[in-house]
Each structure stands twice: as C-alpha cells, then as structure tokens.
C-alpha cells in the first residue's frame, strides 16, 4: 500500500526515517520542504472537496432562485423549509456521518482497507434509523413554524414542501457515509465530478418540472429528491464497481460493536451541531433588537460573505481530517504533528487575507446585496467584526478537523458547550442588550466565545502526545472490527 506521507520521491529520502515517518526537521531548508509537501497533499484533497461543497450549496441556491419566480409566498416557504428544517437535518446527519472520517481514515492509513466497507454499512444503518427519528420534525413543520411566529400561509406551504422532500433526507443517509468512505482514500475527484454533473441535472429538472410541466413547488420538491438520490446512487455504483479493495460486499460485521459506533456518531453530531446552532442563534438574538430590519439585514449580509469563506475552510476541515486519520493509522506521529501545524499556518494566512479584503472594501461590498444607504452604512460598521470573525473562523474549522481525525469528538463537544453557550452567548446578550451595543455587542460576545474555544483547542493540540494517539488508534480498530494491525503491516511490507 502506498504511504500517504510521500510518493516515493528520491529527493525527500533524507526527510523520512525507516518507519516511513518524518525525521525531526533540522533547519530552514527542511522546514520549507516539509511545508511544501504538506501543502500539496492538503490541497489535493481540499480543493476538490471545496468544489463539491459549492455544488451541493448550489442545489439549494438554485432551487430557491427558481421557486422565487413563482411568488413571494412560495419563495419564503421554500427558503424557510430548506434553511431551517433542511439545514437542521443536513447538519445533524453530516455530524453523525463524520464519525467515518475518524474510523475510515485511520483504517485506511493502517492498511485495513477492507474495514472501510464495513464501517460505511454500519453508518448507513445508523443514519437511516436517525432519519426515521427525524421524521416527526418533517411531519409537524407547519405547527412548529407557527409556534415560532411564522405567518400561516408561509408555514402551511413550507410544511407541505418539507413533507415532499422526505426522500431527500434518506438519500443523505446513503451519500454522507459513501462520501466519507471515498474521502478517506483521497478519492475526492469522483465526489466532485458527481456533484458537478448532478448540479447541472438538477437545474434541468427544475426547468422541466416548474416551467415546462407547471408543477410549481411540487416540481421543485421532486427535482430536489431526484437529484439527491442520483448523487447517492452514483456514489454507491462507483464504490461497488471500482473500490474492490475497500468494498467486499454486504457483511454482518456491520452490526458488530454498533452501539460504540452510535456513541461516536452522536458525539460527532453534537460537536458539529453545537457549532452550527451557535452561529444561527446570533440571528435570533438580533431579531429582538429595537430596529430588527436593519440589524438582521446587515448581519445577514455579513454572514453571507462569511459563509463563502467558510466553504473553503470546510474543505480544509475535511482534508486535515483525512491527513490526521491516515497518518495515525500508519503510526506516523510526527507526520500528524507537521501536517496540523502547516494547515493551521496556511488557514491563518487565508483568514488574514480575507480580513484585509473586507476591511478595504467595507464601504462597497454591501452594494452587491442592497441599494439601501442605511443598510450599507450598517454593514460598513460591522465590517471590522466580520474581518475578525474571518480570522478566528480560519483556524477553528482546522482544529475541528484535527479533532475528527483523532477521534476527540466528545472532548470538543464539551469545550464547545462551555465556550459557546456558557460564555459566548451570555456575553453577547449582556453586551447587546444590557450595554446597549446592539448587534455589534451580540456579535462581539459570540466572537469571544469562538476565540476562547480556539485557544483551548490550540493548547490541547500543542500538548498532545501523538505517539499515544497512535496507540489509541490501534486499539480502536482492534475493538471495532480490525485484525492485528502489526501483523497486517508486516504482511504488507513483505
């Protein structure tokens, strides 16, 4: 099996020890070479994942755009259904599925490639059961939205639309684990191509069902369901047909140690959801200020820009998770440490560049979203906080990716709970309402929570003994379906 560290380049042999791991870096020249090696490996994975996430984001955006031409009520209803109910389910299932990033990545790195198919089937089972548990939210969307104060017409249509996209929910339960299966092996080009082709197909479906046949929001729901299942089925076909080393067919081993797997999946979901809900809560708090239209509008514009930057870091998040889990599986503790340090430095540089751009264009970028001078001025005042947020958010997703790759989901979930909900939210409330700082106070408090979480995780990473993490990786694979890893490695080397 080819080591994830190097591709056999003779010019890098002085960097690599007999065990395949990096030797201690000595001098600027070696440090520069390690930085370049890790940069190439990171972006080979991250670039294509970013492209795929943009395609997935595009299916939601395009659906909203097409429906928007049907009427204001249709637009609001579908937007709420996708952004509230759809995002909640998407985030929870993505979190549940991210347990595979830990297990599949470590198994692949250790040469236990056959386990990837078993883990993927186990995740399919867990996510399908999770979908069934989530169904009441879909069936009772209308009363839930009315309880939250939404208008009856919008809530009724949103509830109807949500019920009709239930098939899409179950498609995610197939596609998420399959994506993690492929990501662990760095087969991300397939995911990217499928995402791009399905986006084009989705646009065709929307045009056909909404404009040609005239099915309105029913046609949008049908297009959403079909596109999601095309993605899931295409990925499974590729796995079955072209991933023979990792896919050995359906196996009863998928039911082995399933409760331990469920626990790791829940830890992953809680860790991710605490982060997603934290950023959603700022909109809720802002909506209760004295001038909510300007406050929410200006904040939404800033969050939109921040969201585009966040897409890039989601790709880096997934890429560093793959790198960490693969190298832990191989037993390369120093490679893990170097890849983490290189990724944090690069992400911080990207965040600083984004901050500088936002600061420089603070008086102009709101024109893209609104013609209101009052709203443009409000956005310009928030631009400084947006720039700081971009820097903080550049490091935080990387550390979360390291946590997933290392299997630290439970620890990070506790840290998120304390930093976000015990410190950040109350501070934002006090600054926003009691100190009369408005939206700037709310945002400043929440940035402080994110910064505190980032500091804690940086300290943990700095103090981590990666040799012990390698030992825990070996124990985890033995417990959850692996054979004796050292025997496998010896056989592989022979």
């Amino acid at each position: 099996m080819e080591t994830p560290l190097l591709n056999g380049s003779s010019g890098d042999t002085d960097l690599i020890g007999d065990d395949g791991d990096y030797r201690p870096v000595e001098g600027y020249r070696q440090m520069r070479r390690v930085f370049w090696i890790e940069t190439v490996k990171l972006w080979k994975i991250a670039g294509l994942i970013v492209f795929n996430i943009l395609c997935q984001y595009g299916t939601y955006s395009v659906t909203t755009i097409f429906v928007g031409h049907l009427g204001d009520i249709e637009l609001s209803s579908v937007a709420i259904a996708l952004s509230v109910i759809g995002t909640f389910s998407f985030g929870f299932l993505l979190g549940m599925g991210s347990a595979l990033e830990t297990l599949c990545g470590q198994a692949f790195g250790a040469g236990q490639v056959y386990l990837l198919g078993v883990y993927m089937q186990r995740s399919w089972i867990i996510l399908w059961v999770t979908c069934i548990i989530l169904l009441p939210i879909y069936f009772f969307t209308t009363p839930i939205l009315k309880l939250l104060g939404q208008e009856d017409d919008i809530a009724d249509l949103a509830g109807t639309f949500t019920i009709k996209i239930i098939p899409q929910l179950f498609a995610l339960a197939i596609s998420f684990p399959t994506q993690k299966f492929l990501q662990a092996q760095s087969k991300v080009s397939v995911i990217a191509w499928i995402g791009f082709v399905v986006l084009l197909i989705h646009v065709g479906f929307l045009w056909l069902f909404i404009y040609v046949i005239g099915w309105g929001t029913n046609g949008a729901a049908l297009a959403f369901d079909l596109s999601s299942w095309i993605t899931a089925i295409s990925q499974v076909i590729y796995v079955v047909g072209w991933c023979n080393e990792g896919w050995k067919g359906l196996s009863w081993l998928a039911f082995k140690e399933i409760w331990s797997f469920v626990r790791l999946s829940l830890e992953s979901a809680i860790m991710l959801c605490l982060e997603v809900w934290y950023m959603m809560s700022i909109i809720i708090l802002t909506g209760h200020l004295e001038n909510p239209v300007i406050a929410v509008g200006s904040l939404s514009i800033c969050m939109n820009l921040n969201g585009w930057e966040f897409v890039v870091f989601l790709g880096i998040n997934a890429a560093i998770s793959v790198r960490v889990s693969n190298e832990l599986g191989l037993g390369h503790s120093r490679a893990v440490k170097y890849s983490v340090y290189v990724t944090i430095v690069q992400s911080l540089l990207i965040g600083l560049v984004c901050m500088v751009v936002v600061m420089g264009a603070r008086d102009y970028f709101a024109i893209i979203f609104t013609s209101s001078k009052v709203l443009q001025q409000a956005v310009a005042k928030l631009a400084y906080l947006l720039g700081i947020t971009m820097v903080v958010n550049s490091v935080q997703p990387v550390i979360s990716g390291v946590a997933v790759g290392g299997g630290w989901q439970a620890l990070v979930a506790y840290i998120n709970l304390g930093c976000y909900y015990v410190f950040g939210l109350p501070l934002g409330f006090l600054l926003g309402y009691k100190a009369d700082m408005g939206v700037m106070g709310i945002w400043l408090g929440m940035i402080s929570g994110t910064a505190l979480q980032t500091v804690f995780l940086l300290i943990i990473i700095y103090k981590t003994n990666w040799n012990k993490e390698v030992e825990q990786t070996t124990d985890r694979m033995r417990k959850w379906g692996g054979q004796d890893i050292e025997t496998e490695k010896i056989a592989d080397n022979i």
Side-chain angles (χ1 to χ4, degrees), residues 185-481:
Q185 304 170 75
S186 299
K187 295 181 178 180
V188 289
S189 60
V190 177
I191 302 174
W193 275 110
I194 291 175
F196 177 67
V197 172
V198 170
L199 176 59
L200 297 180
I201 293 173
H202 183 64
V203 173
F205 280 157
L206 289 170
W207 174 78
L208 175 64
F209 296 150
I210 295 177
Y211 293 139
V212 177
I213 302 179
W215 285 346
T217 56
N218 293 334
L222 179 60
F224 208 60
D225 294 336
L226 289 175
S227 299
S228 299
W229 272 104
I230 289 173
T231 299
I233 293 172
S234 299
Q235 290 173 353
V236 172
I237 289 174
Y238 179 81
V239 167
V240 174
W242 287 273
C243 298
N244 296 328
E245 191 176 0
W247 175 260
K248 301 297 183 182
L250 298 175
S251 173
W252 286 106
L253 286 175
F255 294 93
K256 182 181 179 182
E257 294 289 343
I258 197 166
W259 293 115
S260 298
F261 205 95
V262 168
R263 186 178 66 181
L264 182 61
S265 297
L266 284 173
E267 291 169 355
S268 301
I270 292 171
M271 184 191 82
L272 181 64
C273 287
L274 285 175
E275 295 177 2
V276 173
W277 296 339
Y278 183 63
M279 295 311 298
M280 289 174 60
S281 62
I282 189 174
I283 300 293
I284 297 174
L285 286 177
T286 304
H288 294 282
L289 293 172
E290 289 185 5
N291 193 347
V293 174
I294 298 300
V296 173
S298 59
L299 185 62
S300 297
I301 291 173
C302 292
M303 289 293 102
N304 190 296
L305 284 179
N306 187 60
W308 284 104
E309 185 214 33
F310 191 67
V311 167
V312 176
F313 290 112
L314 279 179
I316 298 176
N317 171 287
I320 188 60
S321 175
V322 171
R323 291 287 298 122
V324 168
S325 58
N326 281 178
E327 299 296 351
L328 282 176
L330 277 164
H332 295 166
S333 57
R334 198 170 286 115
V336 177
K337 181 168 65 175
Y338 290 169
S339 65
V340 171
Y341 289 170
V342 168
T343 305
I344 288 175
V345 170
Q346 289 199 14
S347 298
L348 181 60
L349 290 175
I350 294 173
L352 289 171
V353 170
C354 290
M355 181 184 70
V356 171
V357 172
V358 166
M359 297 294 192
R362 63 184 180 276
D363 295 322
Y364 308 103
F365 66 78
I367 298 174
I368 301 173
F369 301 92
T370 179
S371 57
S372 170
K373 295 295 183 182
V374 176
L375 201 52
Q376 290 173 15
Q377 292 173 0
V379 171
K381 291 180 180 179
L382 292 177
Y384 295 100
L385 287 178
L386 175 60
I388 296 172
T389 302
M390 285 182 161
V391 175
V392 174
N393 284 346
S394 67
V395 177
Q396 191 274 339
V398 175
I399 303 173
S400 295
V402 175
V404 171
W408 306 344
Q409 287 90 332
L411 173 63
V412 177
Y414 283 119
I415 293 174
N416 287 353
L417 184 63
C419 294
Y420 290 165
Y421 297 93
V422 177
F423 176 73
L425 269 180
L427 179 60
F429 177 82
L430 289 174
L431 293 177
Y433 288 91
K434 302 301 181 181
D436 292 326
M437 293 177 64
V439 64
M440 292 189 69
I442 294 174
W443 198 350
L444 183 60
M446 300 187 73
I447 291 175
S448 300
T450 305
L452 181 63
Q453 181 244 28
T454 302
V455 170
F456 275 130
L457 292 179
L458 283 173
I459 293 173
I460 290 172
I461 287 177
Y462 178 74
K463 291 182 173 294
T464 295
N465 185 327
W466 292 107
N467 290 318
K468 288 185 178 180
E469 293 297 321
V470 168
E471 293 175 4
Q472 292 177 8
T473 298
T474 302
D475 293 340
R476 183 183 293 118
M477 283 184 289
R478 284 173 176 160
K479 178 182 178 181
W480 290 353

Side-chain angles (χ1 to χ4, degrees), residues 147-169:
L147 185 65
L148 294 174
Q150 194 56 246
E151 295 182 7
D152 289 351
D153 291 343
I154 295 175
D156 290 337
L157 186 55
T160 302
F161 182 83
T162 303
I163 291 174
K164 291 176 181 176
I165 61 172
I166 287 176
Q168 184 260 353
L169 174 69

Side-chain angles (χ1 to χ4, degrees), residues 106-126:
Q106 292 177 359
F108 180 75
Q112 304 271 348
V113 185
Y114 71 95
L115 281 177
L116 272 64
V118 175
Y119 289 155
M120 180 175 63
Q121 294 172 57
R122 199 174 292 169
S123 189
W124 282 345
I125 295 168
I126 293 172

